[in-house]
Each structure stands twice: as C-alpha cells, then as structure tokens.
Amino acid sequence: MYVDMVTARHYEERLQEEYLEGKQPAFDISAGPIPGELHLAAGHEAAAAGVCQHLRDDDAVTATHRPHHVAIAKGVDLERMTAEIFGRETGLGKGKGGHMHLFDPDVNFACSGIIAEGCPPAAGAGLAAKKRNTDSVAVAYLGEGAIDQGAFLESLNFAAVHDLPVVFVIEDNDWAISMPKDRVTDVENGAQRAGGFDMPGVRVDHDDAVAIYDAAKEAIGRARDRNGPTLIEVQVHRRMGHFMGDPESYRPEEDQEAAAERDSIARLEADLQAHGVDEEAIAEMRDDAHERVEDAIEFAKDQPEPDPSAAHEDMFVNPPSGVTDTEPEYDLAGGDD
Ligand SMILES: Cc1ncc(C[n+]2csc(CCOP(=O)(O)OP(=O)(O)O)c2C)c(N)n1
Ligand SMILES: [Mg+2]
C-alpha cells in the first residue's frame, strides 16, 4: 500500500510540474505538454491503495475524473498511461482520451469524466461475473458530489436486487469543485445511502489506509463469496484545487491547512515504523517509486505525437462528409448483428 501511495503522490507532483510548463503567466489551458484539464488526486491515495490491494487483474475497476491514484493501485501500465496523458500515439487510447479517459483492458480498468458514470459499467461487470459464474468482482469509485446522481442510485438498486459482486467506494473530500457537501445533501455520511437498498454501508474516517484496507477486505470478500454488494465511504482530503489552475478562492484557508496536515502517507509511515519497518526500508520504497515515475514520464515525452489524420480513426459514427477519407470501422446503423 505504501509503494502505491508514494508512487501516486510523486506522480501527481511531477504531473503538476509538467502541466504548468508553458501555461503561465496568464493561465492558458491549451498550452504546454499536457493540454486540457487535469484533476489531481493528492490526498486521496489511501482510498485507492486500501481497496485495490484486494483485487486481481480480472476484477474490474471504474474510477472517476480523478483517476491516477486508482489506476496506479490497480496496476495500469504506468508508461502507456503517462503517454496517454501527454497525448502520445502509444498511449492507452492512442492519445485521444487524455487523463480522464484511461482504459487498460489488461487489468480491467476504466474511468470517465462524467460523474457517477462508472457505476453502471461496474454493475454490468458484476452481472457478467455472476452470469459467467466466476469469482471476480467489480469496484466503482465516485466522489461525494455524485451521491445524488441517478446513475449511482440506480446502480445500487440493480446491484442489490441481483446480488451482484460489486463494491461502491465514495471518496468523500467534502468538495464538488467549489460546492461544499453540506450545501447539496443533508446526508452527512454517504454510506447511509446503502440502507435504502438493504446492503451494508460502511464509513471510514480520517483517510486511514489500514482501516480502509480492513473495510475493503470484508466488502470484497463478501462480493467474491457471492453475498452481494457493499457501499463504502472513505474520508479523503483534497490537497490541491479541483483542477490544476483552480485558484480555490472559495475555500477557507483553515480547510486547506487541515487537508495538508492530515496526510495519509505520513500516517502510514508512522504505522509502518510502529510495526518495526525502519526508516531506511521506507526510504528505499520511496526512492524506487520516484524512479518508476520519472521513467514513465521520460518514456511518455519520448513518444511520437499521433498523426492528425488518426483523429478520425476508431470512431463509432461517420464523420461529416468531406472531413475525412477514412472509412468507418464500425457500422452501428445496420448490418448483420
Ligand atoms: C454528470 C456530470 N455533471 C457535472 C459534471 C461536472 N463536474 C465535473 S467534476 C464535478 C464535481 C465532482 O465532485 P465529486 O464527485 O465530489 O468528486 P471530486 O472532484 O471531489 O473528486 C462536476 C460537477 C460532470 N463531469 N458530470
Ligand atoms: Mg468531492
């Protein structure tokens, strides 16, 4: 868990540096090596590491618009993921998806920029596992800002009614962009939502990686044993803005300071030391993780940009006439099937 968490934290810090290159002084979102939006998950690492530790490659995970920590913990290919974020041809999605649309079929990982949108596909993966009679499970991540979305509530119901092996994980960082949680919902503990669907609901406070690990162990074991879905809410902290370039003028300073103080990585380090892991071993894990991140970023920056003509490949609809000569690969309008 510690390796996953320090890898994710260093990854976010390095992406932040790369992202800001060329975008200043006046913030230009389209400039630099990583154009477009970037949502970093520093402060959320425990939610990824504690849960994904129990998963195998054949288990499905759907993450959110803030996906990197979960992708790392799920074992997504870091080099190809980084190439995707840098928009390169060898990226997971040939550089067309960017950081919110990472798909790695080798480890059954997906994410989406639409909030709560990972929930229905996770329920679908759970249904597939049940129909195929395998013991694989699915995990859907969402933010606390998504707990009133229909896609989430309908997926809870579907998973409950069909006893599907699905675990829903709410990452509660108290904010949905600039909107504090208490202004949009009267439910203080999102895990209470489980009660309406007759499934277990568990809340873990203080982004404690070990407590998250324990809660996830039980929920994922329950799913694997075909005893149905579970909803887990974990408290995390957003150490950065909603997206890179967010001045956070809406956010009280004390809240930012509290997020900086509650560091789940420092907490886990203290836990490790209390269990006899010495500082040298911790430093070695941290150095290895940093090296892996640097290698992935170096790899990505070395990769070719996609050919502009490739923009019209891999599409599900015909481009408007005259835009491209490329024949569509898919015929959804008709055909034999
Ligand atoms: C269906 C939908 N509505 C609105 C948005 C715009 N949007 C992007 S992120 C976000 C807030 C998400 O907050 P939360 O779910 O708490 O996740 P966090 O960003 O805090 O990790 C919103 C409203 C969206 N992407 N999808
Ligand atoms: Mg949130």
Side-chain angles (χ1 to χ4, degrees), residues 37 39-40 44 64-66 100 112-117 142-147 149 170-179 236 238 242-243:
E37 281 191 341
H39 308 81
L40 298 179
H44 284 221
T64 71
H65 56 286
R66 206 179 290 291
M100 283 185 277
S112 168
I114 306 299
I115 70 164
E117 203 43 60
L142 63 148
E144 92 298 330
I147 65 165
Q149 290 288 106
I170 304 167
E171 295 179 279
D172 175 14
N173 62 9
D174 263 329
W175 292 94
I177 311 183
S178 53
M179 187 60 72
V236 294
R238 208 180 77 191
H242 171 72
F243 53 82

PDB file of all heavy atoms in Angstrom, residues 37 39-40 44 64-66 100 112-117 142-147 149 170-179 236 238 242-243, ligand 1:
ATOM      1  N   GLU A  37      -7.778  19.868 -19.247  1.00  0.00           N
ATOM      2  CA  GLU A  37      -7.931  19.854 -17.786  1.00  0.00           C
ATOM      3  C   GLU A  37      -7.085  18.760 -17.144  1.00  0.00           C
ATOM      4  O   GLU A  37      -6.775  17.746 -17.787  1.00  0.00           O
ATOM      5  CB  GLU A  37      -9.396  19.581 -17.428  1.00  0.00           C
ATOM      6  CG  GLU A  37     -10.281  20.804 -17.555  1.00  0.00           C
ATOM      7  CD  GLU A  37     -11.656  20.575 -16.949  1.00  0.00           C
ATOM      8  OE1 GLU A  37     -12.053  19.416 -16.764  1.00  0.00           O
ATOM      9  OE2 GLU A  37     -12.330  21.581 -16.656  1.00  0.00           O
ATOM     10  N   HIS A  39      -7.104  16.832 -13.250  1.00  0.00           N
ATOM     11  CA  HIS A  39      -7.595  16.724 -11.871  1.00  0.00           C
ATOM     12  C   HIS A  39      -6.656  15.803 -11.114  1.00  0.00           C
ATOM     13  O   HIS A  39      -6.549  14.626 -11.464  1.00  0.00           O
ATOM     14  CB  HIS A  39      -9.002  16.115 -11.846  1.00  0.00           C
ATOM     15  CG  HIS A  39      -9.977  16.798 -12.750  1.00  0.00           C
ATOM     16  ND1 HIS A  39     -10.036  16.541 -14.093  1.00  0.00           N
ATOM     17  CD2 HIS A  39     -10.923  17.727 -12.501  1.00  0.00           C
ATOM     18  CE1 HIS A  39     -10.994  17.292 -14.647  1.00  0.00           C
ATOM     19  NE2 HIS A  39     -11.546  18.014 -13.703  1.00  0.00           N
ATOM     20  N   LEU A  40      -5.995  16.338 -10.114  1.00  0.00           N
ATOM     21  CA  LEU A  40      -5.031  15.529  -9.369  1.00  0.00           C
ATOM     22  C   LEU A  40      -5.633  15.025  -8.060  1.00  0.00           C
ATOM     23  O   LEU A  40      -6.503  15.671  -7.479  1.00  0.00           O
ATOM     24  CB  LEU A  40      -3.767  16.346  -9.116  1.00  0.00           C
ATOM     25  CG  LEU A  40      -3.044  16.780 -10.404  1.00  0.00           C
ATOM     26  CD1 LEU A  40      -1.805  17.604 -10.077  1.00  0.00           C
ATOM     27  CD2 LEU A  40      -2.669  15.587 -11.275  1.00  0.00           C
ATOM     28  N   HIS A  44      -5.896  11.607  -1.819  1.00  0.00           N
ATOM     29  CA  HIS A  44      -6.890  10.532  -1.970  1.00  0.00           C
ATOM     30  C   HIS A  44      -6.228   9.143  -1.997  1.00  0.00           C
ATOM     31  O   HIS A  44      -6.911   8.146  -2.203  1.00  0.00           O
ATOM     32  CB  HIS A  44      -7.622  10.674  -3.315  1.00  0.00           C
ATOM     33  CG  HIS A  44      -8.661  11.762  -3.365  1.00  0.00           C
ATOM     34  ND1 HIS A  44      -9.868  11.595  -3.976  1.00  0.00           N
ATOM     35  CD2 HIS A  44      -8.666  13.019  -2.893  1.00  0.00           C
ATOM     36  CE1 HIS A  44     -10.576  12.715  -3.896  1.00  0.00           C
ATOM     37  NE2 HIS A  44      -9.862  13.597  -3.246  1.00  0.00           N
ATOM     38  N   THR A  64     -12.958   7.694 -11.426  1.00  0.00           N
ATOM     39  CA  THR A  64     -13.645   8.954 -11.754  1.00  0.00           C
ATOM     40  C   THR A  64     -12.783   9.839 -12.654  1.00  0.00           C
ATOM     41  O   THR A  64     -11.802   9.382 -13.235  1.00  0.00           O
ATOM     42  CB  THR A  64     -13.951   9.737 -10.462  1.00  0.00           C
ATOM     43  OG1 THR A  64     -12.708  10.245  -9.931  1.00  0.00           O
ATOM     44  CG2 THR A  64     -14.620   8.848  -9.413  1.00  0.00           C
ATOM     45  N   HIS A  65     -13.157  11.120 -12.683  1.00  0.00           N
ATOM     46  CA  HIS A  65     -12.367  12.126 -13.407  1.00  0.00           C
ATOM     47  C   HIS A  65     -11.035  12.399 -12.693  1.00  0.00           C
ATOM     48  O   HIS A  65     -10.217  13.137 -13.202  1.00  0.00           O
ATOM     49  CB  HIS A  65     -13.171  13.432 -13.497  1.00  0.00           C
ATOM     50  CG  HIS A  65     -13.591  13.924 -12.149  1.00  0.00           C
ATOM     51  ND1 HIS A  65     -14.616  13.325 -11.428  1.00  0.00           N
ATOM     52  CD2 HIS A  65     -13.103  14.910 -11.341  1.00  0.00           C
ATOM     53  CE1 HIS A  65     -14.746  13.934 -10.250  1.00  0.00           C
ATOM     54  NE2 HIS A  65     -13.850  14.890 -10.181  1.00  0.00           N
ATOM     55  N   ARG A  66     -10.864  11.828 -11.490  1.00  0.00           N
ATOM     56  CA  ARG A  66      -9.636  11.997 -10.702  1.00  0.00           C
ATOM     57  C   ARG A  66      -9.047  10.590 -10.545  1.00  0.00           C
ATOM     58  O   ARG A  66      -9.095   9.989  -9.470  1.00  0.00           O
ATOM     59  CB  ARG A  66     -10.048  12.569  -9.323  1.00  0.00           C
ATOM     60  CG  ARG A  66      -9.018  13.367  -8.593  1.00  0.00           C
ATOM     61  CD  ARG A  66      -9.565  13.896  -7.268  1.00  0.00           C
ATOM     62  NE  ARG A  66     -10.564  14.932  -7.388  1.00  0.00           N
ATOM     63  CZ  ARG A  66     -10.356  16.169  -7.822  1.00  0.00           C
ATOM     64  NH1 ARG A  66      -9.148  16.533  -8.196  1.00  0.00           N
ATOM     65  NH2 ARG A  66     -11.328  17.048  -7.910  1.00  0.00           N
ATOM     66  N   MET A 100      -8.659  11.831 -18.253  1.00  0.00           N
ATOM     67  CA  MET A 100      -9.931  11.365 -17.667  1.00  0.00           C
ATOM     68  C   MET A 100     -10.483  10.130 -18.371  1.00  0.00           C
ATOM     69  O   MET A 100     -11.524   9.622 -17.981  1.00  0.00           O
ATOM     70  CB  MET A 100     -10.989  12.467 -17.755  1.00  0.00           C
ATOM     71  CG  MET A 100     -10.815  13.545 -16.737  1.00  0.00           C
ATOM     72  SD  MET A 100     -12.179  14.728 -16.812  1.00  0.00           S
ATOM     73  CE  MET A 100     -11.651  15.786 -18.142  1.00  0.00           C
ATOM     74  N   SER A 112     -13.981   7.755 -16.217  1.00  0.00           N
ATOM     75  CA  SER A 112     -14.840   8.613 -17.037  1.00  0.00           C
ATOM     76  C   SER A 112     -14.868  10.026 -16.477  1.00  0.00           C
ATOM     77  O   SER A 112     -14.785  10.225 -15.268  1.00  0.00           O
ATOM     78  CB  SER A 112     -16.265   8.050 -17.053  1.00  0.00           C
ATOM     79  OG  SER A 112     -17.152   9.004 -17.592  1.00  0.00           O
ATOM     80  N   GLY A 113     -15.012  11.002 -17.364  1.00  0.00           N
ATOM     81  CA  GLY A 113     -15.132  12.395 -16.940  1.00  0.00           C
ATOM     82  C   GLY A 113     -16.533  12.752 -16.487  1.00  0.00           C
ATOM     83  O   GLY A 113     -16.768  13.842 -15.973  1.00  0.00           O
ATOM     84  N   ILE A 114     -17.483  11.850 -16.675  1.00  0.00           N
ATOM     85  CA  ILE A 114     -18.870  12.126 -16.282  1.00  0.00           C
ATOM     86  C   ILE A 114     -19.099  11.541 -14.892  1.00  0.00           C
ATOM     87  O   ILE A 114     -18.929  10.336 -14.693  1.00  0.00           O
ATOM     88  CB  ILE A 114     -19.867  11.497 -17.288  1.00  0.00           C
ATOM     89  CG1 ILE A 114     -19.552  11.945 -18.717  1.00  0.00           C
ATOM     90  CG2 ILE A 114     -21.300  11.835 -16.907  1.00  0.00           C
ATOM     91  CD1 ILE A 114     -19.633  13.428 -18.965  1.00  0.00           C
ATOM     92  N   ILE A 115     -19.518  12.388 -13.953  1.00  0.00           N
ATOM     93  CA  ILE A 115     -19.547  11.889 -12.576  1.00  0.00           C
ATOM     94  C   ILE A 115     -20.660  10.841 -12.365  1.00  0.00           C
ATOM     95  O   ILE A 115     -21.730  10.936 -12.943  1.00  0.00           O
ATOM     96  CB  ILE A 115     -19.594  13.026 -11.534  1.00  0.00           C
ATOM     97  CG1 ILE A 115     -20.915  13.743 -11.522  1.00  0.00           C
ATOM     98  CG2 ILE A 115     -18.457  14.018 -11.728  1.00  0.00           C
ATOM     99  CD1 ILE A 115     -21.078  14.574 -10.264  1.00  0.00           C
ATOM    100  N   ALA A 116     -20.331   9.840 -11.566  1.00  0.00           N
ATOM    101  CA  ALA A 116     -21.159   8.654 -11.262  1.00  0.00           C
ATOM    102  C   ALA A 116     -21.254   7.700 -12.442  1.00  0.00           C
ATOM    103  O   ALA A 116     -21.890   6.648 -12.350  1.00  0.00           O
ATOM    104  CB  ALA A 116     -22.558   9.016 -10.778  1.00  0.00           C
ATOM    105  N   GLU A 117     -20.594   8.046 -13.536  1.00  0.00           N
ATOM    106  CA  GLU A 117     -20.760   7.251 -14.756  1.00  0.00           C
ATOM    107  C   GLU A 117     -20.029   5.911 -14.704  1.00  0.00           C
ATOM    108  O   GLU A 117     -20.283   5.037 -15.518  1.00  0.00           O
ATOM    109  CB  GLU A 117     -20.315   8.061 -15.977  1.00  0.00           C
ATOM    110  CG  GLU A 117     -20.904   7.614 -17.280  1.00  0.00           C
ATOM    111  CD  GLU A 117     -22.392   7.285 -17.185  1.00  0.00           C
ATOM    112  OE1 GLU A 117     -23.193   8.171 -16.822  1.00  0.00           O
ATOM    113  OE2 GLU A 117     -22.732   6.125 -17.459  1.00  0.00           O
ATOM    114  N   LEU A 142     -16.642   6.767  -6.834  1.00  0.00           N
ATOM    115  CA  LEU A 142     -17.325   8.023  -7.129  1.00  0.00           C
ATOM    116  C   LEU A 142     -16.980   9.028  -6.042  1.00  0.00           C
ATOM    117  O   LEU A 142     -16.500   8.636  -4.968  1.00  0.00           O
ATOM    118  CB  LEU A 142     -18.843   7.819  -7.220  1.00  0.00           C
ATOM    119  CG  LEU A 142     -19.580   7.354  -5.963  1.00  0.00           C
ATOM    120  CD1 LEU A 142     -20.981   7.947  -5.978  1.00  0.00           C
ATOM    121  CD2 LEU A 142     -19.686   5.834  -5.915  1.00  0.00           C
ATOM    122  N   GLY A 143     -17.212  10.307  -6.327  1.00  0.00           N
ATOM    123  CA  GLY A 143     -16.979  11.342  -5.313  1.00  0.00           C
ATOM    124  C   GLY A 143     -18.245  11.569  -4.508  1.00  0.00           C
ATOM    125  O   GLY A 143     -19.348  11.192  -4.933  1.00  0.00           O
ATOM    126  N   GLU A 144     -18.115  12.230  -3.350  1.00  0.00           N
ATOM    127  CA  GLU A 144     -19.307  12.505  -2.532  1.00  0.00           C
ATOM    128  C   GLU A 144     -20.259  13.435  -3.276  1.00  0.00           C
ATOM    129  O   GLU A 144     -21.458  13.427  -3.017  1.00  0.00           O
ATOM    130  CB  GLU A 144     -18.922  13.051  -1.157  1.00  0.00           C
ATOM    131  CG  GLU A 144     -18.835  14.563  -1.005  1.00  0.00           C
ATOM    132  CD  GLU A 144     -17.772  15.208  -1.883  1.00  0.00           C
ATOM    133  OE1 GLU A 144     -16.768  14.543  -2.165  1.00  0.00           O
ATOM    134  OE2 GLU A 144     -17.950  16.377  -2.291  1.00  0.00           O
ATOM    135  N   GLY A 145     -19.714  14.199  -4.249  1.00  0.00           N
ATOM    136  CA  GLY A 145     -20.574  15.091  -5.026  1.00  0.00           C
ATOM    137  C   GLY A 145     -21.489  14.335  -5.976  1.00  0.00           C
ATOM    138  O   GLY A 145     -22.381  14.922  -6.581  1.00  0.00           O
ATOM    139  N   ALA A 146     -21.269  13.019  -6.117  1.00  0.00           N
ATOM    140  CA  ALA A 146     -22.060  12.231  -7.067  1.00  0.00           C
ATOM    141  C   ALA A 146     -23.114  11.366  -6.378  1.00  0.00           C
ATOM    142  O   ALA A 146     -23.815  10.600  -7.042  1.00  0.00           O
ATOM    143  CB  ALA A 146     -21.127  11.341  -7.905  1.00  0.00           C
ATOM    144  N   ILE A 147     -23.263  11.508  -5.054  1.00  0.00           N
ATOM    145  CA  ILE A 147     -24.134  10.537  -4.370  1.00  0.00           C
ATOM    146  C   ILE A 147     -25.625  10.792  -4.558  1.00  0.00           C
ATOM    147  O   ILE A 147     -26.449  10.030  -4.068  1.00  0.00           O
ATOM    148  CB  ILE A 147     -23.825  10.388  -2.850  1.00  0.00           C
ATOM    149  CG1 ILE A 147     -24.134  11.692  -2.102  1.00  0.00           C
ATOM    150  CG2 ILE A 147     -22.405   9.917  -2.613  1.00  0.00           C
ATOM    151  CD1 ILE A 147     -24.187  11.488  -0.583  1.00  0.00           C
ATOM    152  N   GLN A 149     -26.668  11.397  -7.770  1.00  0.00           N
ATOM    153  CA  GLN A 149     -26.842  11.134  -9.206  1.00  0.00           C
ATOM    154  C   GLN A 149     -27.680   9.867  -9.406  1.00  0.00           C
ATOM    155  O   GLN A 149     -27.469   8.853  -8.719  1.00  0.00           O
ATOM    156  CB  GLN A 149     -25.480  10.890  -9.874  1.00  0.00           C
ATOM    157  CG  GLN A 149     -24.601  12.100  -9.983  1.00  0.00           C
ATOM    158  CD  GLN A 149     -25.098  13.091 -11.027  1.00  0.00           C
ATOM    159  OE1 GLN A 149     -25.635  14.130 -10.686  1.00  0.00           O
ATOM    160  NE2 GLN A 149     -24.943  12.756 -12.279  1.00  0.00           N
ATOM    161  N   ILE A 170     -17.163   5.537  -2.195  1.00  0.00           N
ATOM    162  CA  ILE A 170     -17.290   7.000  -2.275  1.00  0.00           C
ATOM    163  C   ILE A 170     -16.039   7.628  -1.669  1.00  0.00           C
ATOM    164  O   ILE A 170     -15.684   7.336  -0.529  1.00  0.00           O
ATOM    165  CB  ILE A 170     -18.516   7.499  -1.468  1.00  0.00           C
ATOM    166  CG1 ILE A 170     -19.797   6.819  -1.937  1.00  0.00           C
ATOM    167  CG2 ILE A 170     -18.628   9.020  -1.553  1.00  0.00           C
ATOM    168  CD1 ILE A 170     -20.982   7.023  -0.975  1.00  0.00           C
ATOM    169  N   GLU A 171     -15.389   8.478  -2.442  1.00  0.00           N
ATOM    170  CA  GLU A 171     -14.265   9.242  -1.912  1.00  0.00           C
ATOM    171  C   GLU A 171     -14.820  10.594  -1.464  1.00  0.00           C
ATOM    172  O   GLU A 171     -15.130  11.449  -2.294  1.00  0.00           O
ATOM    173  CB  GLU A 171     -13.202   9.460  -2.983  1.00  0.00           C
ATOM    174  CG  GLU A 171     -12.539   8.188  -3.466  1.00  0.00           C
ATOM    175  CD  GLU A 171     -11.509   8.470  -4.554  1.00  0.00           C
ATOM    176  OE1 GLU A 171     -11.899   8.636  -5.722  1.00  0.00           O
ATOM    177  OE2 GLU A 171     -10.319   8.525  -4.232  1.00  0.00           O
ATOM    178  N   ASP A 172     -14.956  10.757  -0.155  1.00  0.00           N
ATOM    179  CA  ASP A 172     -15.545  11.987   0.382  1.00  0.00           C
ATOM    180  C   ASP A 172     -14.446  12.986   0.725  1.00  0.00           C
ATOM    181  O   ASP A 172     -13.789  12.867   1.757  1.00  0.00           O
ATOM    182  CB  ASP A 172     -16.369  11.645   1.633  1.00  0.00           C
ATOM    183  CG  ASP A 172     -16.907  12.892   2.304  1.00  0.00           C
ATOM    184  OD1 ASP A 172     -16.871  13.979   1.688  1.00  0.00           O
ATOM    185  OD2 ASP A 172     -17.369  12.785   3.463  1.00  0.00           O
ATOM    186  N   ASN A 173     -14.257  13.971  -0.156  1.00  0.00           N
ATOM    187  CA  ASN A 173     -13.256  15.016   0.124  1.00  0.00           C
ATOM    188  C   ASN A 173     -13.942  16.331   0.493  1.00  0.00           C
ATOM    189  O   ASN A 173     -13.322  17.387   0.496  1.00  0.00           O
ATOM    190  CB  ASN A 173     -12.303  15.206  -1.057  1.00  0.00           C
ATOM    191  CG  ASN A 173     -13.030  15.676  -2.312  1.00  0.00           C
ATOM    192  OD1 ASN A 173     -14.212  16.018  -2.283  1.00  0.00           O
ATOM    193  ND2 ASN A 173     -12.320  15.704  -3.431  1.00  0.00           N
ATOM    194  N   ASP A 174     -15.260  16.259   0.741  1.00  0.00           N
ATOM    195  CA  ASP A 174     -16.026  17.427   1.211  1.00  0.00           C
ATOM    196  C   ASP A 174     -16.348  18.450   0.138  1.00  0.00           C
ATOM    197  O   ASP A 174     -17.120  19.372   0.388  1.00  0.00           O
ATOM    198  CB  ASP A 174     -15.290  18.181   2.343  1.00  0.00           C
ATOM    199  CG  ASP A 174     -15.793  17.754   3.699  1.00  0.00           C
ATOM    200  OD1 ASP A 174     -16.970  17.401   3.794  1.00  0.00           O
ATOM    201  OD2 ASP A 174     -14.981  17.767   4.646  1.00  0.00           O
ATOM    202  N   TRP A 175     -15.758  18.355  -1.027  1.00  0.00           N
ATOM    203  CA  TRP A 175     -15.960  19.370  -2.063  1.00  0.00           C
ATOM    204  C   TRP A 175     -16.335  18.731  -3.394  1.00  0.00           C
ATOM    205  O   TRP A 175     -15.799  17.682  -3.761  1.00  0.00           O
ATOM    206  CB  TRP A 175     -14.673  20.184  -2.279  1.00  0.00           C
ATOM    207  CG  TRP A 175     -14.317  21.045  -1.109  1.00  0.00           C
ATOM    208  CD1 TRP A 175     -13.461  20.713  -0.086  1.00  0.00           C
ATOM    209  CD2 TRP A 175     -14.827  22.350  -0.823  1.00  0.00           C
ATOM    210  NE1 TRP A 175     -13.406  21.745   0.823  1.00  0.00           N
ATOM    211  CE2 TRP A 175     -14.229  22.765   0.395  1.00  0.00           C
ATOM    212  CE3 TRP A 175     -15.719  23.212  -1.463  1.00  0.00           C
ATOM    213  CZ2 TRP A 175     -14.508  24.003   0.966  1.00  0.00           C
ATOM    214  CZ3 TRP A 175     -15.977  24.449  -0.886  1.00  0.00           C
ATOM    215  CH2 TRP A 175     -15.382  24.833   0.316  1.00  0.00           C
ATOM    216  N   ALA A 176     -17.244  19.373  -4.097  1.00  0.00           N
ATOM    217  CA  ALA A 176     -17.509  19.043  -5.501  1.00  0.00           C
ATOM    218  C   ALA A 176     -17.218  20.334  -6.276  1.00  0.00           C
ATOM    219  O   ALA A 176     -18.023  21.267  -6.250  1.00  0.00           O
ATOM    220  CB  ALA A 176     -18.959  18.613  -5.695  1.00  0.00           C
ATOM    221  N   ILE A 177     -16.073  20.408  -6.867  1.00  0.00           N
ATOM    222  CA  ILE A 177     -15.496  21.654  -7.399  1.00  0.00           C
ATOM    223  C   ILE A 177     -15.515  22.679  -6.253  1.00  0.00           C
ATOM    224  O   ILE A 177     -14.834  22.475  -5.253  1.00  0.00           O
ATOM    225  CB  ILE A 177     -16.231  22.162  -8.658  1.00  0.00           C
ATOM    226  CG1 ILE A 177     -16.415  21.005  -9.694  1.00  0.00           C
ATOM    227  CG2 ILE A 177     -15.414  23.296  -9.311  1.00  0.00           C
ATOM    228  CD1 ILE A 177     -17.053  21.406 -11.002  1.00  0.00           C
ATOM    229  N   SER A 178     -16.368  23.719  -6.324  1.00  0.00           N
ATOM    230  CA  SER A 178     -16.385  24.763  -5.293  1.00  0.00           C
ATOM    231  C   SER A 178     -17.561  24.586  -4.335  1.00  0.00           C
ATOM    232  O   SER A 178     -17.843  25.450  -3.515  1.00  0.00           O
ATOM    233  CB  SER A 178     -16.499  26.127  -5.983  1.00  0.00           C
ATOM    234  OG  SER A 178     -17.608  26.106  -6.873  1.00  0.00           O
ATOM    235  N   MET A 179     -18.276  23.471  -4.440  1.00  0.00           N
ATOM    236  CA  MET A 179     -19.511  23.279  -3.670  1.00  0.00           C
ATOM    237  C   MET A 179     -19.254  22.389  -2.447  1.00  0.00           C
ATOM    238  O   MET A 179     -18.932  21.208  -2.580  1.00  0.00           O
ATOM    239  CB  MET A 179     -20.548  22.614  -4.581  1.00  0.00           C
ATOM    240  CG  MET A 179     -21.925  22.494  -3.969  1.00  0.00           C
ATOM    241  SD  MET A 179     -22.660  24.067  -3.527  1.00  0.00           S
ATOM    242  CE  MET A 179     -23.058  24.735  -5.129  1.00  0.00           C
ATOM    243  N   VAL A 236     -11.404  11.378   2.546  1.00  0.00           N
ATOM    244  CA  VAL A 236     -10.103  11.724   1.969  1.00  0.00           C
ATOM    245  C   VAL A 236      -9.989  13.254   2.021  1.00  0.00           C
ATOM    246  O   VAL A 236     -10.921  13.929   2.453  1.00  0.00           O
ATOM    247  CB  VAL A 236      -9.961  11.199   0.516  1.00  0.00           C
ATOM    248  CG1 VAL A 236      -9.948   9.682   0.480  1.00  0.00           C
ATOM    249  CG2 VAL A 236     -11.072  11.741  -0.388  1.00  0.00           C
ATOM    250  N   ARG A 238      -8.651  16.764  -0.219  1.00  0.00           N
ATOM    251  CA  ARG A 238      -8.150  17.311  -1.489  1.00  0.00           C
ATOM    252  C   ARG A 238      -7.016  18.269  -1.159  1.00  0.00           C
ATOM    253  O   ARG A 238      -7.249  19.344  -0.637  1.00  0.00           O
ATOM    254  CB  ARG A 238      -9.300  18.038  -2.206  1.00  0.00           C
ATOM    255  CG  ARG A 238      -9.184  18.057  -3.697  1.00  0.00           C
ATOM    256  CD  ARG A 238     -10.366  18.786  -4.337  1.00  0.00           C
ATOM    257  NE  ARG A 238     -10.211  20.228  -4.204  1.00  0.00           N
ATOM    258  CZ  ARG A 238     -11.183  21.113  -4.469  1.00  0.00           C
ATOM    259  NH1 ARG A 238     -12.362  20.693  -4.883  1.00  0.00           N
ATOM    260  NH2 ARG A 238     -10.975  22.401  -4.332  1.00  0.00           N
ATOM    261  N   HIS A 242      -9.550  21.845  -7.367  1.00  0.00           N
ATOM    262  CA  HIS A 242     -10.366  20.843  -8.064  1.00  0.00           C
ATOM    263  C   HIS A 242      -9.654  20.368  -9.319  1.00  0.00           C
ATOM    264  O   HIS A 242      -9.564  19.175  -9.591  1.00  0.00           O
ATOM    265  CB  HIS A 242     -11.736  21.423  -8.428  1.00  0.00           C
ATOM    266  CG  HIS A 242     -12.514  20.520  -9.334  1.00  0.00           C
ATOM    267  ND1 HIS A 242     -13.062  19.337  -8.892  1.00  0.00           N
ATOM    268  CD2 HIS A 242     -12.785  20.593 -10.659  1.00  0.00           C
ATOM    269  CE1 HIS A 242     -13.652  18.729  -9.904  1.00  0.00           C
ATOM    270  NE2 HIS A 242     -13.495  19.465 -10.986  1.00  0.00           N
ATOM    271  N   PHE A 243      -9.158  21.324 -10.087  1.00  0.00           N
ATOM    272  CA  PHE A 243      -8.315  21.001 -11.246  1.00  0.00           C
ATOM    273  C   PHE A 243      -7.106  21.924 -11.201  1.00  0.00           C
ATOM    274  O   PHE A 243      -7.119  22.926 -10.487  1.00  0.00           O
ATOM    275  CB  PHE A 243      -9.080  21.163 -12.570  1.00  0.00           C
ATOM    276  CG  PHE A 243      -9.730  22.513 -12.724  1.00  0.00           C
ATOM    277  CD1 PHE A 243      -9.005  23.608 -13.164  1.00  0.00           C
ATOM    278  CD2 PHE A 243     -11.067  22.683 -12.404  1.00  0.00           C
ATOM    279  CE1 PHE A 243      -9.602  24.857 -13.296  1.00  0.00           C
ATOM    280  CE2 PHE A 243     -11.662  23.932 -12.533  1.00  0.00           C
ATOM    281  CZ  PHE A 243     -10.944  25.014 -12.971  1.00  0.00           C
TER     282      PHE A 243
HETATM  283  C1  LIG B   1     -22.918  14.278 -14.811  1.00  0.00           C
HETATM  284  C2  LIG B   1     -21.914  15.365 -14.597  1.00  0.00           C
HETATM  285  N1  LIG B   1     -22.315  16.552 -14.083  1.00  0.00           N
HETATM  286  C3  LIG B   1     -21.419  17.549 -13.887  1.00  0.00           C
HETATM  287  C4  LIG B   1     -20.104  17.376 -14.222  1.00  0.00           C
HETATM  288  C5  LIG B   1     -19.089  18.496 -13.972  1.00  0.00           C
HETATM  289  N2  LIG B   1     -18.245  18.105 -12.838  1.00  0.00           N
HETATM  290  C6  LIG B   1     -17.018  17.607 -13.020  1.00  0.00           C
HETATM  291  S1  LIG B   1     -16.288  17.180 -11.567  1.00  0.00           S
HETATM  292  C7  LIG B   1     -17.627  17.685 -10.684  1.00  0.00           C
HETATM  293  C8  LIG B   1     -17.633  17.595  -9.181  1.00  0.00           C
HETATM  294  C9  LIG B   1     -17.364  16.243  -8.712  1.00  0.00           C
HETATM  295  O1  LIG B   1     -17.264  16.236  -7.308  1.00  0.00           O
HETATM  296  P1  LIG B   1     -17.053  14.882  -6.561  1.00  0.00           P
HETATM  297  O2  LIG B   1     -17.941  13.856  -7.153  1.00  0.00           O
HETATM  298  O3  LIG B   1     -17.174  15.139  -5.111  1.00  0.00           O
HETATM  299  O4  LIG B   1     -15.563  14.465  -6.961  1.00  0.00           O
HETATM  300  P2  LIG B   1     -14.207  15.242  -6.625  1.00  0.00           P
HETATM  301  O5  LIG B   1     -13.951  16.188  -7.764  1.00  0.00           O
HETATM  302  O6  LIG B   1     -14.373  15.954  -5.345  1.00  0.00           O
HETATM  303  O7  LIG B   1     -13.171  14.170  -6.567  1.00  0.00           O
HETATM  304  C10 LIG B   1     -18.628  18.160 -11.518  1.00  0.00           C
HETATM  305  C11 LIG B   1     -19.916  18.694 -11.053  1.00  0.00           C
HETATM  306  C12 LIG B   1     -19.727  16.152 -14.769  1.00  0.00           C
HETATM  307  N3  LIG B   1     -18.472  15.914 -15.120  1.00  0.00           N
HETATM  308  N4  LIG B   1     -20.640  15.155 -14.943  1.00  0.00           N
END
